[in-house]
Amino acid sequence: MKNILRLLFFFLLFTSCEEHLNINDNPNTPVNVDKSFVLTAAQGSLATGMGGQLANLGGFLAQYHTQPPSASQYLSLDTYNMNIDFSDRLWNELWAGCLNDLKFVLEKSDEEGDTGSFLIASALRVYTFQVLTDLYGDIPYSEALLGDQNITPNPDLGSDIYSGLIGEIDAALSKYTNNPIPSNVGAQDAIYNAEMEEWVKFANTLKLKLYIRMAYTSQANASAVNALLAADNFISTDAKFALYEDAENKANPFYDVQIDRLGDVNNIASNSLLQFLRTNSDPRDAAIYRLNDDTPGIFRGIDQGDRDTYASEVASNFSRPNIIATTPVYLITVAESNFLQAEALIRYSGGSGAKDKYDAGVLNSFLTYGLDPSLAMALTDPGGTYEYVASPDIETALRQVIIQKWVSLANVNNIEGFFETNRTQYPETVTLGNQDYSIGNFVVSVGSVLTGNQTPNTLFYPDTETSKNPNITQKTSLTEKVWWDQK
């Protein structure tokens, strides 16, 4: 019976249309559905957003890929000219799909006294709200998801949302610790198979990420970070959604849309990352990009947005993202966790132990990409290209960590790559012609509609939201900063 139900769910989950799942089209909360199936639907919805539209957007903004000269599908992203309609679908996916489904799981888990499932759903809810507020800034939170009780919720300040999210994690962890009932969703948890030790670690890692995101703000909390470091209970296995198949409507969302449906013509390697990898003899180049289709094939990219220089060429003349139908969508990786810990040690513990975490971050990045970890060690060992060099200057020490974090997130969690480069300003953005790709530099995308060295810091609220909710005031520019962007 369980297998029959699972097959039925897979049919529902993977009957997709463009970039979102049909199972999530209906914003009404399900009534007589087992919460385990709804949890999988919520995870699938989150993965669709993260691995689909956000992977594409983050790829452009973190300069992992750029628009080829022969296509213009995403020219608005490459020139920083996204409009108010850009994220209508994404907003609906994460609110009406993921968060709405998680609300149902939380309510059912609470009714049943299932503290394990409550923790799982809480952690995913916090993760989703973190992504939304990091993208848009102030969004509905305290008044959100109340249905007919409040159809025009007021937005909360991003700083207040972060405080609330940390409180949610603490409450869910406390609820589970005081009454540790293992989740009964079993294999319907497509991320950690309802292994509660893994979810506790995920919650702790997510909390560390929230604290580190606040590092340049007045809410930076050294004691809370050091308490997490002392407990040392972070993820040891990548948190990923990996139910994809090499079949129509069942593939990785980026592959399904950009490669399969749109013909692999819209995303080519940006020299910002490709040349960093190539000049440093980093074998991750072959994991992140495919060789071009010429014979013999080579790795080849263009400077961000520099389409006119190559006007007569097509996408297949260049390297493209190495994403296949079964590539998982990653929420948090062990590499990211190690880089978070390295930054925490640099900022709040005088740098002691940061080298080990940095080295572990690079090594685990290689493992996530399916590469031999000894190749990473050759780069980070004494005398290696990526050898960690301790420094009494926090920013000097930190830059090494963030550059490697930026690399490790390519095709893994592109939008997180954007958030972190936005927060830290590493790699630094320079005008084309002044870059040094070997150390890690962004260039202002050719054709940018913004002035100077400005790049986007946020997204406009979706038109579908501002037209329905008078309490949401549209931004005037993509250069408005979210609250933690204070460097």
Side-chain angles (χ1 to χ4, degrees):
M1 182 65 177
K2 181 179 178 181
N3 288 337
I4 294 173
L5 290 173
R6 190 167 177 80
L7 287 171
L8 174 61
F9 174 75
F10 283 163
F11 173 78
L12 292 172
L13 178 62
F14 290 112
T15 303
S16 63
C17 176
E18 191 67 13
E19 287 191 40
H20 66 285
L21 304 173
N22 285 339
I23 194 170
N24 290 320
D25 284 349
N26 187 350
N28 298 316
T29 302
V31 179
N32 296 313
V33 181
D34 189 299
K35 73 176 188 293
S36 63
F37 294 105
V38 182
L39 175 66
T40 324
Q43 292 175 341
S45 179
L46 177 57
T48 294
M50 294 297 295
Q53 194 169 357
L54 288 179
N56 194 41
L57 172 67
F60 281 99
L61 296 184
Q63 299 198 7
Y64 299 139
H65 60 235
T66 186
Q67 183 83 79
S70 56
S72 58
Q73 179 92 15
Y74 300 116
L75 196 55
S76 62
L77 278 64
D78 224 8
T79 59
Y80 313 142
N81 197 26
M82 296 86 83
N83 61 26
I84 59 175
D85 298 323
F86 167 72
S87 60
D88 286 354
R89 178 177 295 162
L90 172 67
W91 183 272
N92 183 69
E93 181 71 69
L94 295 182
W95 284 98
C98 178
L99 286 172
N100 193 61
D101 288 345
L102 289 174
K103 178 184 178 185
F104 175 83
V105 176
L106 285 166
E107 291 171 349
K108 283 293 184 182
S109 299
D110 216 18
E111 289 174 11
E112 298 169 4
D114 182 353
T115 58
S117 294
F118 189 91
L119 174 58
I120 295 171
S122 293
L124 291 170
R125 171 185 152 93
V126 169
Y127 186 97
T128 307
F129 266 112
Q130 170 250 306
V131 170
L132 283 166
T133 190
D134 287 353
L135 273 174
Y136 297 102
D138 302 343
I139 58 170
Y141 172 66
S142 60
E143 297 180 6
L145 301 167
L146 297 178
D148 293 341
Q149 297 177 46
N150 188 349
I151 61 173
T152 57
N154 283 292
D156 294 83
L157 296 175
S159 55
D160 291 341
I161 294 171
Y162 259 60
S163 296
L165 296 179
I166 290 171
E168 286 192 47
I169 294 176
D170 287 341
L173 284 170
S174 178
K175 184 189 286 278
Y176 177 73
T177 302
N178 293 332
N179 186 25
I181 306 298
S183 171
N184 59 17
V185 302
Q188 293 302 136
D189 169 19
I191 297 173
Y192 280 135
N193 200 35
E195 294 290 339
M196 293 314 303
E197 288 185 6
E198 298 298 331
W199 279 108
V200 171
K201 292 177 181 179
F202 179 92
N204 287 326
T205 309
L206 179 57
K207 185 159 68 166
L208 178 62
K209 181 167 80 165
L210 293 169
Y211 277 124
I212 292 297
R213 194 79 96 220
M214 300 187 289
Y216 291 106
T217 77
S218 60
Q219 287 186 214
N221 191 329
S223 61
V225 171
N226 282 323
L228 283 168
L229 292 174
D232 192 24
N233 194 24
F234 304 110
I235 63 169
S236 54
T237 305
D238 291 346
K240 61 185 180 182
F241 186 90
L243 294 183
Y244 303 114
E245 301 175 15
D246 189 5
E248 187 176 358
N249 296 325
K250 297 182 180 181
N252 169 285
F254 184 94
Y255 176 91
D256 182 52
V257 174
Q258 306 305 333
I259 297 176
D260 187 33
R261 300 189 188 196
L262 296 181
D264 200 18
V265 298
N266 286 300
N267 310 89
I268 61 172
S270 171
N271 278 337
S272 299
L273 178 59
L274 179 61
Q275 294 307 317
F276 175 84
L277 297 169
R278 299 293 290 163
T279 57
N280 288 296
S281 300
D282 190 327
R284 285 176 291 184
D285 56 4
I288 296 171
Y289 299 112
R290 289 168 283 150
L291 297 171
N292 70 355
D293 290 349
D294 291 346
T295 304
I298 59 173
F299 288 107
R300 187 166 178 247
I302 67 174
D303 298 316
Q304 193 74 26
D306 189 19
R307 303 165 73 246
D308 291 345
T309 300
Y310 307 89
S312 63
E313 300 201 53
V314 296
S316 59
N317 296 141
F318 302 94
S319 301
R320 284 154 289 165
N322 190 15
I323 296 174
I324 63 175
T326 55
T327 297
V329 170
Y330 295 87
L331 300 185
I332 304 178
T333 64
V334 178
E336 182 183 353
S337 173
N338 278 295
F339 289 132
L340 286 167
Q341 293 171 68
E343 178 171 353
L345 292 166
I346 291 168
R347 288 189 180 280
Y348 305 122
S349 294
S352 177
K355 178 189 181 330
D356 290 342
K357 293 301 181 182
Y358 166 89
D359 289 350
V362 178
L363 185 147
N364 278 286
S365 171
F366 275 65
L367 290 174
T368 294
Y369 286 124
L371 299 174
D372 184 345
S374 67
L375 299 174
M377 295 171 67
L379 291 169
T380 57
D381 281 348
T385 308
Y386 296 151
E387 178 187 3
Y388 178 81
V389 179
S391 172
D393 180 71
I394 288 176
E395 290 297 320
T396 299
L398 178 61
R399 188 184 190 279
Q400 304 166 83
V401 175
I402 300 303
I403 292 297
Q404 286 301 319
K405 190 176 189 179
W406 166 61
V407 175
S408 76
L409 291 166
N411 292 352
V412 170
N413 192 329
N414 289 354
I415 199 63
E416 185 67 23
F418 163 64
F419 292 150
E420 283 297 84
T421 57
N422 196 23
R423 174 180 71 93
T424 64
Q425 302 302 304
Y426 301 130
E428 298 88 346
T429 301
V430 299
T431 55
L432 185 61
N434 295 313
Q435 74 275 12
D436 182 352
Y437 287 137
S438 69
I439 65 169
N441 269 167
F442 285 169
V443 297
V444 178
S445 184
V446 177
S448 169
V449 300
L450 303 178
T451 59
N453 280 13
Q454 293 187 102
T455 56
N457 299 310
T458 187
L459 291 182
F460 288 121
Y461 296 112
D463 182 52
T464 54
E465 182 66 17
T466 56
S467 64
K468 292 183 296 185
N469 187 352
N471 293 319
I472 301 292
T473 302
Q474 187 58 270
K475 302 180 178 76
T476 59
S477 171
L478 295 175
T479 61
E480 290 187 20
K481 294 186 175 185
V482 296
W483 75 280
W484 44 254
D485 184 4
Q486 297 186 28
K487 184 177 176 185

